[in-house]
Amino acid sequence: MRADKRFTPETQLLLRTEIAGAGGNEVFALGRCNGEGLVEELRITARGNGDSVLALHMEPEDGYSPDTSWDVFIHNHPSGFLVPSDNDMLITSRAARGGMGAYIVDNEVSALYVAAEPVRRRKRKNLDAGELCAALEEGGGVARRLAGYERRDAQLDLVRFLTRAFNEDAVAAAEAGTGVGKSFAYLLPAVEFALANDERIVISTATITLQQQLYEKDIPLVLSALGKEVKYTLIKGRGNYLCLRRLTEALMEPPLDDGEYEELRAVTAWSEQTKTGSRSDLSFLPAPGLWARVCCEGDTCLGMRCAERERCFFLALRREAADSRLLVVNHHLLFADLAARHGGAGYEAAVVLPPYTRLIIDEAHTVEDAATSFFSREWSRTGINHTLGRLYRKRRARESGLLVRLVSPLSPRIPAAVAAVREAAEKADAAALALCGEEGLFRLTPERRGAAALLFPPLEELRRALSALAPELILVTEAADQEDPAVWEIRAVIRRLDSAGAICGAFLDYGIRGEETGDVYWIEKQDARDPWAVLSVTPVDIAPSLRDALFDVHKTVICVSATLGAGSSGPAERARQAGDRTGAFRFWAERTGAALADRKPLCAAFPSPFPYRSRTLLIVPADAPLPDTAGYQAFVSRGVSELVRTAGGSALVLFTSYRSLRTTFDETAPLLEQEGIRCLKQGDDDRNRLLQVFLADRTSVLFGTDSFWEGVDAPGETLRLVVLCRLPFRALRDPVFEARRELLEKRGRNAFAELSLPDAVMKFKQGFGRLMRGSRDYGAVAVLDGRLFHKQYGAVFLGSLPETKTSFRNLNGAAEDLERFLY
């Protein structure tokens, strides 16, 4: 065949020139075709000799998949004999599975042999924003299905903006104020685009609550409104699902106590009825140690070898996901998938999730924290003991564990090696706790290596104990039946213990040499009653990784949140009107890598439609002292007591430290309880149960710290007062935050203005947003921090809020204003 039948003149000449430049030897290239099927874009990937060339981006070695973002791979035969060789056919077969074609040309690129025809790509169908907005107009499909529906201009603008992001293959960031209706605004174009173009779209959220809402309510409503059908699946991490094989094996082991056996029997009875195998479907909460023994885990999965494969809950879920066009996931699962793909698994095959090229990230203000958490490495005494407990446990004369199942009798060397690791972990933990002191935190830096010297000997002892145990375990697995599931589980344990040893080694290397690694090494004390230490290694700057793994490789990336901008609402609104590419979102974009992406993000803000001006009172007492003054805590306690009593409960009091919470609670709760106001405190019960009690009792007050600044949805009379006791600047002793401040300063930038302040403003907006959850809600937000008036940056916090009624009198006057406003 003549080559000009498959190449444009430009690419034909380019390839001929490249071959000549390679001395007439073999050249390997990837090609992209235009609408007429002609190769209009070339990428030369390798140059070889007269007989062969590396087929780069085509060999699926080490987990890589062929790069099928191209349409065809091309190479020349210098001999002019264009019949494919056996190696050519092997590569062609691999490419064809991804829809790619294969061309062989002569050195002049005049003759061509088609070894495999490329699959023609479907022409993308763009969305019509007007048609999508019609569903949200009065009488539209969505409007008809929601009682008391009100048309929202900001929501319609958001639909148009997100439609543009899909049509233009854009990275887009949208700040949608409370009440805009962002879920419907992104679901409408997502559903239509998935159907029109037969593409899979991933929707990621930070909370299980939003995942469930999307899956159970919002997506079904949107599909009903559009009169369309699309398959959608909710996916959680593997650890949320029961493994039937591991459950069977746990039942075969002798239980250590009657309570454990009864729980196992209850889980077994449930396993015969559940359709999903999801832990959330259980009517009781199993003990963490027991669930860890029976849940699904990637590194212990037997795959095709598993006897329960046909009944496997997780494999059933993966099959559902493979057939779905909408996947609802959480951020941790998303980052697990992105990390694996970026690390070498490629973007064309199923990894943690099925392949996708478009995604929507809701609650996107949490991206940096979620990614930081995922990319951190850590070990703790409790974690090591749990892992060792899976290997070998002994209570009185009763032995159990994987090793007991696999070997009988067990060599005494192995229990001794397990005991040595436990003992070393105890010593390392004790040294780490001593370093944490009263603050509960310690960051290892070159300057603090002397203070940390007491940690290094027990860490080295632990590393040696782990190194001594591993060979013993390997010998056991090598001598056993390789098809025995216990072998696979022990290998997974070995990998986890190796990981703990590697973290010990990283601490030792950094502590001894002090060389910059791009990571922060830190220790945190957990649980005040029976404390243990967690040793963590966390990357300081994750923006480049997020750019490479997230923003630069997907066709459409949409990030939405109620708080993305860290400046005033005025500039954010102007950014929306002007289409400013960074504007008010600069802080978020730089922290997440969006600002580093090849495509600069489209950024826009969509203000809340709620009537803050008439239904919200902002209180900042004029006599509020600065937090570093002696009378500040006394003022907070008096302010909380006066304001909550005036409101009659229905209050959420937010703190930045648990110490201040505890002091304020102890000083105010007895007085408030006398007034018939029920006082609830974070830490006294599970977070969800506390929220349920709070929502059910309109006269209650809930005292909370960090996690309660967001994710609390209490509409109506349940919440009429939010008290922000202190501006939410992160503590400078936070090791990761401190390291990130230092990195900015090394780069010659202002760490306060570019990190501390915008980070606190975004958190402040989240706290303020707890009050108004519906257009008919009303109430007050009180800020008991004198810095709003006495520091220049106070204007930044105030400017980030919508326009409200205000009370800037002293505390007594503010309480009077609150009473008049509420009653």
Side-chain angles (χ1 to χ4, degrees):
M1 177 187 292
R2 285 169 41 190
D4 58 9
K5 297 293 185 182
R6 296 297 178 101
F7 290 84
T8 64
E10 293 79 11
T11 53
Q12 190 176 13
L13 176 61
L14 174 60
L15 185 56
R16 183 185 305 132
T17 302
E18 288 288 344
I19 293 172
N25 290 308
E26 287 201 29
V27 170
F28 190 88
L30 299 173
R32 191 166 283 135
C33 300
N34 59 21
E36 298 175 356
L38 300 179
V39 176
E40 66 172 358
E41 183 181 352
L42 276 178
R43 177 182 172 191
I44 307 299
T45 64
R47 297 169 182 84
N49 54 37
D51 299 312
S52 62
V53 64
L54 292 174
L56 295 183
H57 300 275
M58 299 303 300
E59 292 283 359
E61 295 177 357
D62 299 324
Y64 281 90
S65 298
D67 186 354
T68 54
S69 62
W70 297 83
D71 296 312
V72 61
F73 78 84
I74 307 154
H75 74 292
N76 60 306
H77 280 187
S79 66
F81 183 67
L82 304 187
V83 175
S85 66
D86 289 343
N87 282 336
D88 290 339
M89 294 305 295
L90 179 62
I91 298 298
T92 298
S93 173
R94 290 169 178 164
R97 287 198 291 269
M100 291 184 71
Y103 297 166
I104 304 172
V105 298
D106 62 359
N107 279 13
E108 295 299 316
V109 197
S110 57
L112 174 143
Y113 183 93
V114 179
E117 291 283 2
V119 175
R120 287 288 186 96
R121 296 183 184 269
R122 293 177 57 184
K123 186 176 182 181
R124 187 178 66 194
K125 295 179 182 178
N126 282 345
L127 303 177
D128 186 320
E131 291 181 1
L132 295 174
C133 286
L136 297 170
E137 297 281 3
E138 296 290 346
V142 172
R144 291 196 308 272
R145 287 163 174 80
L146 292 175
Y149 178 81
E150 296 175 358
R151 181 184 186 276
R152 306 169 190 176
D153 289 337
Q155 186 179 45
L156 298 174
D157 289 343
L158 180 56
V159 170
R160 297 183 186 101
F161 177 73
L162 300 182
T163 298
R164 176 187 171 194
F166 275 108
N167 288 343
E168 296 181 8
D169 291 347
V171 173
E175 180 178 271
T178 306
V180 166
K182 56 184 170 64
S183 298
F184 288 142
Y186 63 66
L187 285 175
L188 282 165
V191 167
E192 284 288 6
F193 196 92
L195 286 171
N197 296 283
D198 193 27
E199 290 196 37
R200 182 180 292 109
I201 297 172
V202 170
I203 302 171
S204 181
T205 76
T207 62
I208 294 175
T209 301
L210 183 52
Q211 265 189 289
Q212 296 291 147
Q213 177 185 315
L214 290 172
Y215 182 74
E216 295 173 1
K217 298 179 180 179
D218 295 350
I219 294 177
L221 190 147
V222 167
L223 292 177
S224 175
L226 295 174
K228 303 288 180 67
E229 290 186 8
V230 63
K231 192 165 186 179
Y232 58 98
T233 300
L234 172 68
I235 307 178
K236 305 172 189 175
R238 275 182 180 264
N240 288 282
Y241 299 93
L242 178 70
C243 174
L244 294 171
R245 173 186 62 80
R246 299 186 75 204
L247 174 62
T248 301
E249 292 166 0
L251 286 168
M252 293 169 60
E253 290 187 19
L256 294 180
D257 56 58
D258 293 338
E260 179 183 85
Y261 182 74
E262 288 304 316
E263 275 204 346
L264 272 175
R265 297 299 301 174
V267 171
T268 303
W270 167 76
S271 73
E272 295 168 356
Q273 301 171 355
T274 178
K275 294 181 179 179
T276 66
S278 173
R279 178 173 50 178
S280 62
D281 292 346
L282 268 169
S283 59
F284 65 95
L285 190 64
L290 183 141
W291 183 257
R293 290 172 56 198
V294 300
C295 70
C296 182
E297 294 179 333
D299 56 1
T300 62
C301 180
L302 300 184
M304 295 293 291
R305 298 179 178 86
C306 183
E308 298 286 356
R309 187 174 185 276
E310 294 304 315
R311 298 200 303 146
C312 177
F313 295 114
F314 191 72
L315 285 182
L317 177 70
R318 295 196 72 167
R319 287 192 288 268
E320 287 287 313
D323 292 337
S324 297
R325 285 297 169 261
L326 291 181
L327 302 180
V328 182
V329 306
N330 58 53
H331 290 350
H332 188 83
L333 200 63
L334 174 66
F335 287 122
D337 184 78
L338 293 176
R341 294 182 187 280
H342 182 58
Y347 291 85
E348 301 302 324
V351 187
V352 177
L353 301 173
Y356 54 93
T357 59
R358 304 181 194 275
L359 67 155
I360 297 167
I361 301 177
D362 203 342
E363 301 170 307
H365 64 281
T366 65
V367 163
E368 183 185 23
D369 285 344
T372 298
S373 175
F374 180 80
F375 289 114
S376 294
R377 297 176 292 148
E378 66 180 36
W379 79 263
S380 67
R381 166 180 59 84
T382 57
I384 284 183
N385 285 344
H386 166 70
T387 302
L388 293 175
R390 291 177 60 181
L391 282 175
Y392 177 78
R393 305 188 300 279
K394 184 176 182 180
R395 183 174 296 177
R396 300 184 182 91
R398 183 179 292 176
E399 295 179 314
S400 61
L402 295 169
L403 292 169
V404 175
R405 276 170 39 195
L406 198 62
V407 180
S408 181
L410 193 61
S411 166
R413 291 198 314 272
I414 295 179
V418 169
V421 173
R422 287 187 190 275
E423 183 180 351
E426 292 283 350
K427 292 179 182 177
D429 183 66
L433 287 172
L435 287 175
C436 289
E438 289 297 318
E439 284 193 345
L441 281 171
F442 179 83
R443 178 186 169 199
L444 179 60
T445 63
E447 297 75 23
R448 304 185 76 183
R449 282 182 290 173
L454 64 93
L455 176 66
F456 301 144
L459 274 187
E460 179 60 37
E461 181 182 344
L462 175 58
R463 183 166 66 168
R464 289 176 179 170
L466 289 167
S467 298
L469 175 60
E472 297 288 347
L473 299 179
I474 291 171
L475 286 173
V476 169
T477 58
E478 288 177 346
D481 177 1
Q482 297 304 295
E483 298 300 314
D484 192 314
V487 170
W488 292 76
E489 296 239 5
I490 292 173
R491 286 173 178 163
V493 166
I494 293 171
R495 287 191 291 271
R496 294 178 189 184
L497 294 177
D498 283 347
S499 176
I503 296 171
C504 291
F507 264 83
L508 288 166
D509 290 345
Y510 184 72
I512 294 169
R513 298 186 181 91
E515 297 175 358
E516 195 61 54
T517 64
D519 294 316
V520 56
Y521 299 80
W522 57 291
I523 307 169
E524 184 174 20
K525 181 168 72 174
Q526 302 288 333
D527 195 334
R529 296 171 189 168
D530 182 20
W532 72 89
V534 177
L535 283 74
S536 301
V537 181
T538 300
V540 177
D541 186 5
I542 62 169
S545 296
L546 285 175
R547 172 200 60 200
D548 296 342
L550 176 60
F551 294 109
D552 279 352
V553 293
H554 295 98
K555 293 178 181 177
T556 300
V557 182
I558 291 172
C559 299
V560 294
S561 173
T563 50
L564 288 183
S568 70
S569 58
E573 173 63 13
R574 288 196 295 274
R576 181 179 76 85
Q577 298 293 340
D580 186 357
R581 290 297 179 93
T582 52
F585 303 139
R586 177 185 173 190
F587 169 71
W588 173 85
E590 288 188 348
R591 302 307 306 167
T592 61
L596 305 176
D598 291 339
R599 299 162 292 168
K600 295 305 177 186
L602 305 174
C603 298
F606 303 86
S608 170
F610 291 165
Y612 288 98
R613 188 181 302 179
S614 61
R615 300 186 70 83
T616 301
L617 174 67
L618 175 64
I619 296 172
V620 185
D623 52 346
L626 298 177
D628 58 357
T629 58
Y632 175 71
Q633 179 57 54
F635 179 84
V636 168
S637 295
R638 184 166 69 90
V640 169
S641 179
E642 287 293 321
L643 296 172
V644 173
R645 187 168 56 185
T646 300
S650 303
L652 176 65
V653 185
L654 297 173
F655 298 83
T656 58
S657 77
Y658 194 76
R659 178 181 298 175
S660 180
L661 180 155
R662 192 167 50 243
T663 301
T664 305
F665 183 88
D666 290 343
E667 293 178 353
T668 61
L671 301 173
L672 295 174
E673 294 278 3
Q674 290 177 8
E675 300 281 338
I677 297 172
R678 185 176 184 180
C679 296
L680 307 169
K681 174 166 60 73
Q682 179 181 346
D684 286 349
D685 202 347
D686 172 76
R687 182 182 189 275
N688 289 332
R689 282 193 289 271
L690 273 177
L691 282 175
Q692 289 170 8
V693 173
F694 174 64
L695 293 173
D697 187 348
R698 288 170 49 182
T699 64
S700 63
V701 55
L702 175 58
F703 293 71
T705 57
D706 187 63
S707 66
F708 286 87
W709 282 73
E710 54 186 283
V712 176
D713 194 359
E717 296 287 328
T718 304
L719 181 59
R720 296 189 300 166
L721 173 65
V722 174
V723 182
L724 309 181
C725 294
R726 188 168 179 158
L727 297 180
F729 286 101
R730 294 205 201 196
L732 294 181
R733 63 191 183 88
D734 179 325
V736 178
F737 199 71
E738 180 185 44
R740 287 172 174 168
R741 283 176 54 89
E742 291 170 0
L743 180 62
L744 282 175
E745 289 168 355
K746 285 180 182 178
R747 294 172 176 174
R749 298 171 64 176
N750 187 323
F752 178 79
E754 297 187 46
L755 179 59
S756 296
L757 180 59
D759 179 78
V761 169
M762 288 182 69
K763 187 85 170 183
F764 180 72
K765 290 168 66 177
Q766 283 286 334
F768 178 89
R770 295 313 93 211
L771 180 69
M772 291 281 285
R773 309 307 295 172
S775 61
R776 294 178 176 82
D777 290 356
Y778 69 100
V781 177
V783 186
L784 308 181
D785 191 327
R787 288 176 293 183
L788 277 181
F789 284 151
H790 301 298
K791 297 292 184 180
Q792 274 191 323
Y793 56 75
V796 180
F797 286 93
L798 293 172
S800 71
L801 303 179
E803 186 176 348
T804 67
K805 291 180 178 295
T806 58
S807 172
F808 297 152
R809 301 165 66 193
N810 61 26
L811 181 59
N812 291 336
E816 293 172 0
D817 291 342
L818 174 63
E819 185 173 20
R820 279 193 295 270
F821 180 78
L822 293 179
Y823 303 108

